[in-house]
Amino acid sequence: MENFEPIDLNKYIADDIAKYSGISIPVKSGLLRRMLVKKISCKKLHMNPDDEFTHPDVGPSFRIISEYSQLSRKNYETTGNYFFQQEAIIVERLYPDGYIILNGHHRWAAAFKNRYPKINVEIVKLTHEAQIKEILRNSKHDKRVTMDLDEVVFYDEKTMQQDHSEKQLGFPFNRMFKERLRLGIPALFRTLEKKGYDIWVYSSKYYSTDYIKSLFRKYHINVTGIVTGTEKQKDKKNSYDSLLKEKYKQTLHIDNDMVLKIESKSGNFNEFNIDSSEGWSKKVIQIVEEIAKGEEEQ
């Protein structure tokens, strides 16, 4: 194990943030690194200044840290693995060194205080504001579609019938991608592209953008933008939304039950209910075509 000196956790957090403030930026991690690197030294993981864990007025919960410490010791006694059945810490590669924690600060703190040399990680690549600005500069469209990945785009075996998913990918891609697309998503996305919409997908989970793009390519579709980790990046999401509203005069938000058409300047909206008795995607495509026809007639 590494030599850890006794530390004041609050001081360590403050020092780490101060050390990297103004000099660190997220950088891309290649596919090979994301696939092969599954454990990283606790000392190479850096604090996220946007997470409540690092805010002095909220701060880390020592009760939660203690619970993770007890769990990891119990895991080791029964399985020989401190992190048995624990989710990996979600991290993003950071310049000039190491990785920033996106989700899992308390698990990191428990491992660090217990002097475990390494902890399980999952390296992801997110979409940042500079990339969103670049996407918007290059786009020739003035209207967009927004959809939630987990609730709308991906097939959910708990809420959807078995025949409501796209065909499963063949080997080895079925091992690489756990998610399957909802039946009709490729046809819907192509219709939206033809009608001049930019397609933006969101998720509260920390999917890597490269992972989602690769999955979509297997189904022969593209999306304009991918924003993940929205649950813990509410302030940033508000900033993203402001940029998007400036770019697009119209937004179609598609969920399971309704298509909501919103005019950015006036805030006026129209609701179109989705009767999925004849197929969800078929009905959504009909709604999109009806909206396009109405705009052509104006």
Side-chain angles (χ1 to χ4, degrees), residues 273-289:
N273 292 321
I274 301 172
D275 177 6
S276 57
S277 59
E278 298 180 5
W280 179 86
S281 63
K282 182 178 180 180
K283 182 59 180 178
V284 176
I285 289 172
Q286 288 177 355
I287 292 171
V288 170
E289 290 177 340

Side-chain angles (χ1 to χ4, degrees), residues 112-223:
F112 191 43
K113 287 177 73 67
N114 285 343
R115 305 186 179 188
Y116 303 149
K118 291 187 177 182
I119 191 167
N120 297 343
V121 299
E122 179 183 349
I123 303 172
V124 301
K125 176 192 172 189
L126 303 184
T127 300
H128 294 278
E129 188 169 331
Q131 294 165 296
I132 289 177
K133 289 179 178 178
E134 183 68 17
I135 291 170
L136 297 179
R137 275 196 296 269
N138 293 330
S139 172
K140 296 182 174 65
H141 299 141
D142 61 1
K143 53 186 181 179
R144 64 166 174 162
V145 169
T146 61
M147 280 181 270
D148 186 282
L149 277 173
D150 298 290
E151 294 183 8
V152 180
V153 178
F154 291 156
Y155 166 70
D156 185 349
E157 60 183 10
K158 295 179 181 178
T159 60
M160 300 178 192
Q161 296 179 21
Q162 196 168 13
D163 61 349
H164 287 186
S165 71
E166 289 291 321
K167 184 178 178 182
Q168 188 171 17
L169 297 172
F171 181 83
F173 302 116
N174 59 344
R175 301 289 181 88
M176 297 169 61
F177 301 103
K178 297 178 292 183
E179 295 77 16
R180 293 167 67 178
L181 297 191
R182 184 183 200 147
L183 184 64
I185 284 293
L188 171 58
F189 277 30
R190 282 193 284 273
T191 298
L192 291 167
E193 284 185 277
K194 288 178 182 178
K195 298 301 180 183
Y197 288 93
D198 281 349
I199 302 170
W200 288 80
V201 293
Y202 295 81
S203 175
S204 60
K205 296 182 180 179
Y206 281 101
Y207 296 106
S208 178
T209 54
D210 285 345
Y211 175 86
I212 299 300
K213 286 177 183 177
S214 297
L215 172 61
F216 283 155
R217 278 198 292 269
K218 298 298 179 290
Y219 289 95
H220 311 288
I221 57 177
N222 297 301
V223 294

Side-chain angles (χ1 to χ4, degrees), residues 215-238:
L215 172 61
F216 283 155
R217 278 198 292 269
K218 298 298 179 290
Y219 289 95
H220 311 288
I221 57 177
N222 297 301
V223 294
T224 309
I226 301 164
V227 180
T228 63
T230 55
E231 185 70 24
K232 291 228 175 177
Q233 300 187 85
K234 291 179 180 177
D235 292 341
K236 289 186 177 180
K237 185 177 181 300
N238 291 336

Side-chain angles (χ1 to χ4, degrees), residues 261-278:
K261 178 187 173 185
I262 308 167
E263 303 296 336
S264 296
K265 286 187 177 179
S266 65
N268 294 334
F269 63 89
N270 296 98
E271 299 177 357
F272 303 85
N273 292 321
I274 301 172
D275 177 6
S276 57
S277 59
E278 298 180 5

